[in-house]
Amino acid sequence: TVTVNPLPATPTITASSSTTFCTGGSVTLTSSIGNSYLWSTGATTQSITVSTGGNYTVQVTNAAGCQSAPSTATTVTVNATNIWNGSTDTIWNNPANWSCGVPTSTSSILIPSGLTNYPLISTEGIIINNIEIQNGALLNVLNNGLTITGILTLNGRIDLQNESQLVQTSTSTLISDCATGKIEIDQQGTSDSFSYNYWGSPVNNTCAVPLTTNNIANFLRDGSFPENIKSFVYNANAYFADIKSTPLNNGIPNIKLSTYWMYKFANKTASDYNSWTYIGNTGPLLTGEGFTLKGSNSTFTNQNYTFVGKPNNGLIELTVNSGMQYLIGNPYPSAIDAREFIKDNIKEYIDPSNNVYVGSRTENIIDGNLYFWDHYGFSSHLLKSYQGGYAIYNLSGGVAFQRGSVSGVPPPPGSGKTPRQFIPVAQGFFVNGLTNSGKIQFNNSQRTYQKEAVGTSEFIRTTGKNKSVEIDLTKRIYLKYNSPSGFQRQLLVAFIPNTTEGIDVGYDAINNERFAEDISWLNAENKFVIQAIPTIENRVLPLEVKVSTKGISKISLDHIDNISEEIAILIKDNLNGMLYNLKTAPFEINLSPGTYTNRFELVLKTQQTLAIHEENIVDNSINIYLNNEENVIYIHKNNAEIKEISIFNMMGQQLKSIKNNLDYQVIKIPHNVQSGVYIVNVTTNNGTVSKKIIKL
């Protein structure tokens, strides 16, 4: 007798939940027929949990060892793309608006067209791997940054509002339909029709490689009302925008720009003003090139300009030659790190101990100085009447632009804009070439999200989660010079261990200006606005002071960074050997016209060394000098209370004693006496200051 064991029934699979889930989820599959189980994964339990997509089957075996046929395959699907549906509202961080919950930094997301609610990012630090925006779809970003590390497929629109920025990292690529894929990004420039801004475009409207030419009319829009951007009205007349226009939010383009003032300066000789190339609103611009633009003369304090087009991304290069100057501009819809830009365009520098500390090039493409023009106004289109100047930034730091009187009009108060480490969206600036056919390089590794409002970047004009800013421990001293006629200049000396006593590319900025009144650091035959040296202890730094008008020249301590209280900061007058403490008050002196190259020095001493020279230190809270032409003694006080002024001759006889009416900032005392030497004693709340004066 033969007994045949029957085969077990073919099992079925049930799932604990839907077999379609999002990346990072899982599903449990269960079979309930048989004594033992054999899954296609190799598992032998009744239930298995899977987190990857695929086809799953199971067989069962009964007690007699007979095995069933394989079950019907169950397909498990994992959604790799998180799809926005906007089912609840426009809030990015609302999980109900997404097919797979709020995206993470590893997510790939899709924003489809045809929806009522489109997402709004209003949270700091949004990072996405891949994102696709379909034609007709919209992504709004409000005062925040969006960082993409993978692929940006832009066939729809991204509206970057207020200080919003788009950052693509070095691993990110752009795929875009140039007809429909666009961003909108704002920047505020001057509305004064007499004043220039220097710009660079963060977008282009071409379908070819980045170096394909673009033009202003293609990408620049009137953003007076960001919810209703429109085209400018252009005219070639130089005075077209001088008549003030009132912007209306009715779709009518009524903001005017004169194309007469639209120029670029591309790889030209710096000293040749005629090298500016007129482009108007339709002339060619390469990606990364800068351009000039005068304001719209609207009723706004600052005009909001909107750039519309395909966002620039990846490597961007411009060719510059040795001795030539190039007006370039931040080409990305995000800030860029000026330090990284400089390092990417100068060669490795090796100090005597073989420490490589900057650079990635085999040659210096530029001299490492970035020049930012600030046109602070004068209601005239005549070149000789322009008021403005160049601020400078390099690896030592930044200095504000120089200011001077124009046509008898003194400059406004203050030191002007100072460029910072991060260059804002659309900011234009000059660089100087050092290599023939050198390639100025912008790249995504320079990009970062930095708001102007937090003070880490500065858009030079007349009127998210930020990249972590390293703690800057560099020692710096900033001086400020005021000339008799109103010229102002800021000087910087930085103390950086790996620099040298000579010229360091990227760290020293030569003063190439030719002003009748000015101040510079003197180093051998070189004159610097910014100078870097390796050490601070017991240094003597010569100064050149230029004066064209007889009167008071003032050198003051603008501010210091990371300088110990133990360091005394002094001005030395080599004519009399006296030292003036800038920490207590500015140094003021009455100078005749001329260039003083050997007379004044900045002296830095430790308090211990300073004690040896105390007899030469002047309390410059009081400045005393005699004007022989007027026969008047001038006494300037700085943060001191004067109690008495006494004048003696060399025989010790007191000629005058003044105890009343001493509250003025400048006190004038007639001194119509015979020629000779006299002593002026000024008694203050801090002690007595004495000075010899010579009556000619």
Side-chain angles (χ1 to χ4, degrees):
T1 302
V2 178
T3 302
V4 178
N5 293 318
L7 294 176
T10 301
T12 59
I13 300 175
T14 58
S16 60
S17 59
S18 171
T19 54
T20 299
F21 59 90
C22 297
T23 301
S26 63
V27 62
T28 300
L29 305 177
T30 302
S31 176
S32 58
I33 300 176
N35 300 105
S36 62
Y37 302 85
L38 179 62
W39 294 87
S40 55
T41 63
T44 58
T45 57
Q46 181 178 355
S47 301
I48 63 168
T49 299
V50 296
S51 59
T52 58
N55 296 321
Y56 294 88
T57 62
V58 66
Q59 293 176 278
V60 297
T61 304
N62 62 15
C66 296
Q67 191 175 57
S68 72
S71 68
T72 302
T74 295
T75 301
V76 175
T77 303
V78 179
N79 283 330
T81 302
N82 195 352
I83 303 173
W84 170 269
N85 54 56
S87 60
T88 303
D89 49 39
T90 63
I91 300 175
W92 177 277
N93 283 338
N94 185 348
N97 290 321
W98 296 94
S99 64
C100 295
V102 179
T104 67
S105 61
T106 60
S107 296
S108 295
I109 66 175
L110 171 66
I111 302 176
S113 60
L115 301 180
T116 301
N117 293 328
Y118 283 107
L120 170 65
I121 294 176
S122 57
T123 304
E124 295 277 2
I126 299 299
I127 301 175
I128 294 298
N129 183 17
N130 302 311
I131 180 171
E132 179 181 353
I133 303 174
Q134 291 185 344
N135 186 2
L138 170 66
L139 171 60
N140 294 294
V141 185
L142 178 60
N143 209 33
N144 280 288
L146 170 62
T147 298
I148 299 171
T149 59
I151 301 172
L152 169 59
T153 304
L154 181 61
N155 297 320
R157 184 163 57 96
I158 300 176
D159 188 2
L160 299 162
Q161 304 168 25
N162 298 117
E163 285 205 63
S164 296
Q165 297 169 32
L166 171 65
V167 177
Q168 290 185 256
T169 67
S170 56
T171 58
S172 179
T173 57
L174 173 69
I175 301 172
S176 179
D177 183 335
C178 65
T180 60
K182 299 183 183 300
I183 67 168
E184 298 173 5
I185 187 166
D186 297 331
Q187 183 55 278
Q188 294 73 48
T190 177
S191 60
D192 180 3
S193 65
F194 297 100
S195 298
Y196 280 116
N197 280 146
Y198 286 177
W199 296 90
S201 176
V203 301
N204 66 79
N205 284 290
T206 60
C207 299
V209 295
L211 286 181
T212 300
T213 56
N214 204 2
N215 63 64
I216 293 173
N218 275 347
F219 56 72
L220 194 64
R221 299 290 182 270
D222 171 11
S224 300
F225 300 96
E227 74 283 359
N228 183 21
I229 61 173
K230 47 199 175 183
S231 298
F232 285 102
V233 176
Y234 294 105
N235 189 286
N237 188 297
Y239 310 103
F240 176 64
D242 292 351
I243 300 175
K244 191 172 291 293
S245 57
T246 301
L248 301 174
N249 190 11
N250 59 5
I252 300 174
N254 58 345
I255 296 297
K256 300 176 291 186
L257 289 180
S258 170
T259 63
Y260 185 90
W261 308 107
M262 297 177 182
Y263 285 82
K264 68 179 182 179
F265 197 93
N267 196 28
K268 300 290 186 178
T269 304
S271 60
D272 184 6
Y273 196 82
N274 293 323
S275 293
W276 286 90
T277 302
Y278 175 74
I279 56 172
N281 62 323
T282 58
L285 278 170
L286 300 180
T287 301
E289 284 187 334
F291 61 94
T292 65
L293 180 71
K294 283 193 176 182
S296 59
N297 202 21
S298 69
T299 54
F300 296 115
T301 302
N302 292 308
Q303 175 65 46
N304 189 65
Y305 296 86
T306 301
F307 293 83
V308 179
K310 184 175 67 176
N312 294 321
N313 181 60
L315 178 64
I316 296 170
E317 293 184 323
L318 295 168
T319 301
V320 68
N321 292 321
S322 177
M324 298 299 179
Q325 200 170 66
Y326 213 134
L327 175 59
I328 61 178
N330 176 3
Y332 301 117
S334 67
I336 61 173
D337 188 330
R339 296 181 63 84
E340 295 303 316
F341 172 80
I342 293 169
K343 291 178 181 180
D344 284 343
N345 288 283
I346 62 177
K347 70 179 180 180
E348 293 178 339
Y349 181 91
I350 303 176
D351 75 1
S353 60
N354 295 322
N355 292 319
V356 178
Y357 71 101
V358 297
S360 59
R361 307 295 287 260
T362 58
E363 57 189 2
N364 290 312
I365 306 303
I366 60 175
D367 67 3
N369 297 307
L370 314 182
Y371 295 84
F372 301 84
W373 170 260
D374 192 349
H375 192 160
Y376 56 88
F378 191 82
S379 297
S380 173
H381 291 301
L382 298 177
L383 177 62
K384 67 178 182 179
S385 298
Y386 284 177
Q387 285 185 309
Y390 288 98
I392 307 173
Y393 185 88
N394 63 21
L395 296 175
S396 294
V399 293
F401 66 89
Q402 74 285 342
R403 295 178 170 215
S405 298
V406 176
S407 300
V409 179
S415 299
K417 302 282 187 175
T418 300
R420 304 181 187 275
Q421 179 178 350
F422 301 101
I423 302 174
V425 173
Q427 175 70 65
F429 55 95
F430 275 107
V431 294
N432 296 315
L434 291 184
T435 301
N436 285 326
S437 300
K439 298 295 184 183
I440 302 170
Q441 183 182 111
F442 295 97
N443 59 65
N444 280 7
S445 66
Q446 300 164 10
R447 297 173 67 173
T448 177
Y449 171 49
Q450 287 289 329
K451 291 183 179 180
E452 294 174 53
V454 300
T456 53
S457 67
E458 185 75 64
F459 188 80
I460 307 297
R461 58 176 179 268
T462 51
T463 54
K465 180 179 180 180
N466 297 345
K467 174 183 176 180
S468 59
V469 181
E470 296 181 3
I471 298 175
D472 187 355
L473 299 179
T474 301
K475 296 179 176 66
R476 299 185 181 91
I477 296 175
Y478 293 84
L479 298 184
K480 184 177 180 181
Y481 172 65
N482 293 80
S483 77
S485 66
F487 180 87
Q488 302 171 22
R489 163 81 77 181
Q490 189 180 57
L491 291 182
L492 165 62
V493 58
F495 306 93
I496 302 174
N498 287 337
T499 59
T500 70
E501 300 290 345
I503 298 179
D504 296 300
V505 173
Y507 288 82
D508 295 318
I510 293 177
N511 187 351
N512 291 317
E513 303 285 5
R514 296 294 180 266
F515 294 110
E517 295 188 327
D518 207 346
I519 190 171
S520 305
W521 302 112
L522 276 182
N523 186 329
E525 300 299 321
N526 301 303
K527 302 175 185 179
F528 294 106
V529 177
I530 301 175
Q531 181 177 202
I533 55 178
T535 58
I536 188 173
E537 289 78 12
N538 300 319
R539 299 303 302 252
V540 176
L541 303 175
L543 292 163
E544 179 187 87
V545 176
K546 295 170 64 177
V547 177
S548 64
T549 302
K550 180 178 176 60
I552 296 295
S553 289
K554 182 169 72 172
I555 301 174
S556 56
L557 187 62
D558 195 304
H559 65 282
I560 58 177
D561 295 337
N562 306 307
I563 303 294
S564 169
E565 289 295 327
E566 293 300 311
I567 300 296
I569 303 174
L570 312 163
I571 289 291
K572 182 178 181 181
D573 185 347
N574 287 319
L575 186 63
N576 57 22
M578 304 306 291
L579 296 166
Y580 301 83
N581 189 350
L582 292 184
K583 285 188 174 180
T584 60
F587 168 64
E588 296 185 357
I589 188 168
N590 188 26
L591 294 175
S592 298
T595 299
Y596 299 84
T597 57
N598 301 310
R599 182 169 175 179
F600 302 108
E601 299 170 334
L602 182 73
V603 177
L604 307 173
K605 293 183 178 293
T606 62
Q607 294 296 339
Q608 182 178 6
T609 306
L610 188 63
I612 303 173
H613 302 278
E614 283 187 352
E615 70 279 5
N616 295 326
I617 299 176
V618 176
D619 179 1
N620 53 314
S621 60
I622 299 294
N623 187 28
I624 306 166
Y625 67 93
L626 170 64
N627 188 321
N628 275 288
E629 294 177 358
E630 298 177 357
N631 292 319
V632 172
I633 298 172
Y634 284 84
I635 299 175
H636 290 247
K637 65 177 183 178
N638 298 294
N639 302 318
E641 179 185 347
I642 298 179
K643 298 181 179 297
E644 182 180 1
I645 300 173
S646 301
I647 302 174
F648 300 84
N649 61 23
M650 291 306 292
M651 297 178 63
Q653 297 170 324
Q654 187 178 71
L655 305 182
K656 286 185 180 180
S657 176
I658 304 170
K659 297 181 179 180
N660 299 317
N661 299 319
L662 301 177
D663 295 331
Y664 298 100
Q665 191 72 29
V666 179
I667 300 170
K668 301 179 181 180
I669 302 172
H671 192 63
N672 191 8
V673 295
Q674 64 182 6
S675 299
V677 178
Y678 297 85
I679 304 295
V680 179
N681 285 347
V682 179
T683 302
T684 74
N685 55 324
N686 297 320
T688 300
V689 178
S690 297
K691 185 175 181 180
K692 293 180 181 179
I693 58 174
I694 301 175
K695 178 64 174 69
L696 301 178

